[in-house]
Amino acid sequence: MILTADVSTSAGLVRFKQTHPDKYLDVGIAEQNMMGIAAGLASEGKKVVTTTFAPFQSMRCLEQIRVDLAYMNHDVTMVGLASGLVLGTLGYTHCCFEDLAITRAIPGLTVLSPADCSETVKAFAAAVRHEGPVYLRLTGGSGNPIVYADDYDFTIGKAVELRQGKDVALLATGTMVHKALEAAELLADQQIDAAVINMHTIKPIDKAAIAAACQTKLVVTLEEHNLVGGLGS
């Protein structure tokens, strides 16, 4: 079942709701109610996906996520649309710099942050297969730069080393993965060898990848999020 809070067009769900009207429900601008409905459907054995813009999916629904989903370990994948800065034209209410910090703090909740469209497909499929609640954070907009031109293995909790380097390790997530690759090219021009690691899973974090990165002279994190509580923390 897919539930949306009046964002079917923004979420790209038009074809789905036309093809599978029996598996689609628009609750209107009532995000907290959407989470209650999702929990009810999940308790009856449904795999449920909810979606709305990231600040409303995470912050507005925090208590429902904590109590109705995580505490009960329901199979609900929450898709937070347009997190970070991409909706800045709509004002501060639609920007979201806090969702990683909020969702990381909830016991039993898995947190994913894909780098591009290909990884979004893989992360979404993995989230739906995963047992328990998942928050899928989407950053960037239309025309988002491609990171993965070829197929690769995506595993929740296992980071992907995109570039090896011995001097600096750039640990990035979401839109900043492509920026990290660009930065590594600029550093190479200055004879600085930079590794780039895609931290597509924020929770559970890949501790082994971080430990390996710490063998370099400097570790830098890049994320479209507040410094407090996100990948950097």
Side-chain angles (χ1 to χ4, degrees), residues 37-84:
I37 295 170
L41 289 168
S43 71
E44 293 298 312
K46 300 284 188 182
K47 284 277 189 177
V48 185
V49 177
T50 65
T51 186
T52 183
F53 293 121
F56 315 135
Q57 177 68 91
S58 58
M59 289 183 277
R60 184 170 294 170
C61 301
L62 176 57
E63 184 180 4
Q64 287 73 27
I65 294 170
R66 176 179 178 267
V67 178
D68 296 346
L69 301 188
Y71 182 67
M72 303 300 292
N73 196 39
H74 282 318
D75 287 340
V76 176
T77 297
M78 298 165 281
V79 181
L81 299 174
S83 192

Side-chain angles (χ1 to χ4, degrees), residues 63-147:
E63 184 180 4
Q64 287 73 27
I65 294 170
R66 176 179 178 267
V67 178
D68 296 346
L69 301 188
Y71 182 67
M72 303 300 292
N73 196 39
H74 282 318
D75 287 340
V76 176
T77 297
M78 298 165 281
V79 181
L81 299 174
S83 192
L85 290 162
V86 69
L87 288 185
T89 52
L90 297 180
Y92 182 74
T93 55
H94 284 61
C95 292
C96 196
F97 324 110
E98 308 90 353
D99 51 341
L100 293 182
I102 290 167
T103 52
R104 274 185 61 220
I106 300 175
L109 184 61
T110 296
V111 182
L112 306 178
S113 175
D116 67 359
C117 294
S118 295
E119 191 160 69
T120 296
V121 173
K122 287 180 174 286
F124 179 76
V128 172
R129 290 193 300 265
H130 181 76
E131 292 186 6
V134 179
Y135 177 65
L136 180 61
R137 182 189 205 234
L138 301 185
T139 48
S142 58
N144 201 53
I146 293 171
V147 172

Side-chain angles (χ1 to χ4, degrees), residues 1-3 16-17 19-25 46 49:
M1 287 287 295
I2 292 184
L3 278 59
F16 184 89
K17 71 178 182 180
T19 308
H20 304 285
D22 57 324
K23 297 181 180 180
Y24 173 86
L25 183 63
K46 300 284 188 182
V49 177

